[in-house]
Amino acid sequence: MSIQRFFQGDSGFVVSLSEKARKIGGIDLAGSYLSDGPYQPSAELFRELDDDSIRTLIPPYGLPELREQIAMYLRSNYERTYDPSEEITITHGQTQALFACLLAFLGEDDEVIIFEPAAEYYLPIIQLCRANPVYVTLKEPDFHIDWDELTLAVNANTRMILINTPHSPTGMVMSELDMLRLQRLINGTRIIVVSDETYKDLVYDTAMHQSIAMFPKLADCGIVISSLNIGMGLMVQSGFCAAPAEMMKKIRKVLHFSDGGHFVPLQKAMTHMVPDRSRIGGLAAYYRKKKEYFVNAITERTRLTALNSLAGCFVLLDYSQVSTARDTDFANMLLEQYGIAVAPYSAFFHDKQKRNLIRINFARPNDELEKAVDILGCL
């Protein structure tokens, strides 16, 4: 039977908008990739590799030296010790990591709590695992978790809570108090916490990233998923997951039968980049300034309103003063008439109801942002 029956709605809509913008030579502000940054990976890191490295694939768990560097990073930043040989696995981006983690632990009729708005790929992966999604909506205007609503959503069938902090697309960052509440909520249950921490390196202002690795009871029954390429200025997708050894065995079993290995030169280059914390600090400072530049331009030159974002590379814009159209129709209009791709806010909800927000990726060259602001200012 076709797996298509497990999908609901128009998954991949944001990706399709990005593709259309690139085909027509437009401005892609919809995609989630970073196409502008302060660092370009040094070619010297790759030139120093010998021919054997270039022709070699490594096991699906990743280069041992890279896993050791990640273990050192986690211990230094979160005071949690992970065994690099048994508790850390390198993946082809955070999406593959999430897929492997969910497939390893979810069964038919298990329930997974997700917070909406949520990344487009969360729901399809849950459905492919034949599990049931349970939705908890983040509360505007600061997109906080309603802990009463979350508590009511938990029951005997709850197998997993999927959190995303820093959050995409809102830029919300879960606080220490949030983590302590989550720790109390799952105490004495069989619930696994999967924490997507893709944008951990892009946190601004006074916000502080709180990893589940910092909280013993969460780390003992949780899985950290994160990106490697974002903090290194790399376009190619690369990520990792970290979990207790018994949990990682199940995750690796999924990867063993679905992944042929990794490209050695890339992982050797990343091994040299992980310890460079000045790079991460510079990256966050760079994107904070770019966010401020873009938000100021939107505020001064358009009738759109930018919502506050504490992290990541996205800003939500309220367009209610210029149009009453559905966000999907508004996004299609911008693409067809002006060549600008933006992500409709409803794409990150299962019900796809009308909303008056669009998501903009500001990690783009300034000339593209300037052109986009000029066009939006004419609306």
Side-chain angles (χ1 to χ4, degrees), residues 24-288:
I24 65 174
I27 301 173
D28 178 20
L29 304 182
S32 58
Y33 58 92
L34 281 66
S35 64
D36 177 75
Y39 304 118
Q40 296 298 325
S42 174
E44 295 300 323
L45 292 173
F46 295 93
R47 291 196 191 104
E48 293 174 0
L49 301 177
D50 55 37
D51 290 341
D52 288 339
S53 293
I54 294 175
R55 289 193 295 264
T56 302
L57 286 175
I58 50 181
Y61 316 135
L63 192 70
E65 301 96 301
L66 179 56
R67 284 185 273 142
E68 289 171 5
Q69 287 293 339
I70 293 171
M72 292 173 61
Y73 168 88
L74 295 172
R75 183 167 59 250
S76 173
N77 287 273
Y78 307 141
E79 298 183 356
R80 173 76 181 193
T81 299
Y82 289 93
D83 181 347
S85 64
E86 296 185 348
E87 298 183 321
I88 295 175
T89 297
I90 311 301
T91 60
H92 298 291
Q94 66 276 8
T95 307
Q96 185 196 33
L98 182 69
F99 183 83
C101 292
L102 269 60
L103 196 60
F105 294 101
L106 293 179
E108 192 167 2
D109 296 328
D110 281 340
E111 293 186 357
V112 182
I113 295 176
I114 60 174
F115 298 93
E116 290 192 313
E120 272 195 302
Y121 54 85
Y122 283 4
L123 180 56
I125 293 176
I126 292 170
Q127 292 170 334
L128 282 172
C129 296
R130 304 194 182 197
N132 298 320
V134 176
Y135 309 101
V136 174
T137 303
L138 298 175
K139 304 305 179 186
E140 299 181 25
D142 59 353
F143 302 100
H144 66 274
I145 295 173
D146 184 327
W147 287 95
D148 290 334
E149 182 180 349
L150 176 58
T151 301
L152 290 173
V154 173
N155 59 51
N157 294 322
T158 305
R159 184 67 175 117
M160 189 175 287
I161 297 177
L162 174 54
I163 65 174
N164 176 206
T165 182
H167 186 262
S168 171
T170 69
M172 177 273 288
V173 179
M174 290 179 67
S175 67
E176 180 182 7
L177 180 58
D178 287 327
M179 291 298 184
L180 292 173
R181 284 174 168 171
L182 182 60
Q183 195 167 239
R184 286 197 299 269
L185 181 64
I186 67 166
N187 189 36
T189 71
R190 67 184 191 112
I191 296 173
I192 296 170
V193 175
V194 176
S195 183
D196 180 351
E197 303 178 11
T198 297
Y199 294 101
K200 68 184 186 306
D201 296 320
L202 300 182
V203 180
Y204 315 123
D205 305 323
T206 58
M208 296 285 291
H209 171 55
Q210 303 288 327
S211 172
I212 63 167
M214 301 166 67
F215 301 85
K217 290 182 180 178
L218 292 178
D220 288 344
C221 63
I223 306 167
V224 176
I225 292 174
S226 193
S227 166
L228 286 170
N229 57 287
I230 287 179
M232 299 177 184
L234 295 168
M235 289 291 287
V236 63
Q237 289 288 309
S238 186
F240 71 89
C241 55
E246 289 304 311
M247 298 178 71
M248 188 58 73
K249 285 181 182 178
K250 296 182 179 181
I251 298 168
R252 286 182 171 183
K253 186 176 292 186
V254 173
L255 291 170
H256 181 75
F257 292 105
S258 62
D259 193 339
H262 294 261
F263 188 47
V264 172
L266 174 63
Q267 292 201 9
K268 285 198 172 183
M270 289 192 294
T271 300
H272 296 287
M273 296 179 186
V274 172
D276 186 1
R277 300 310 301 157
S278 63
R279 172 185 293 268
I280 302 302
L283 195 72
Y286 178 85
Y287 284 115
R288 177 180 57 79

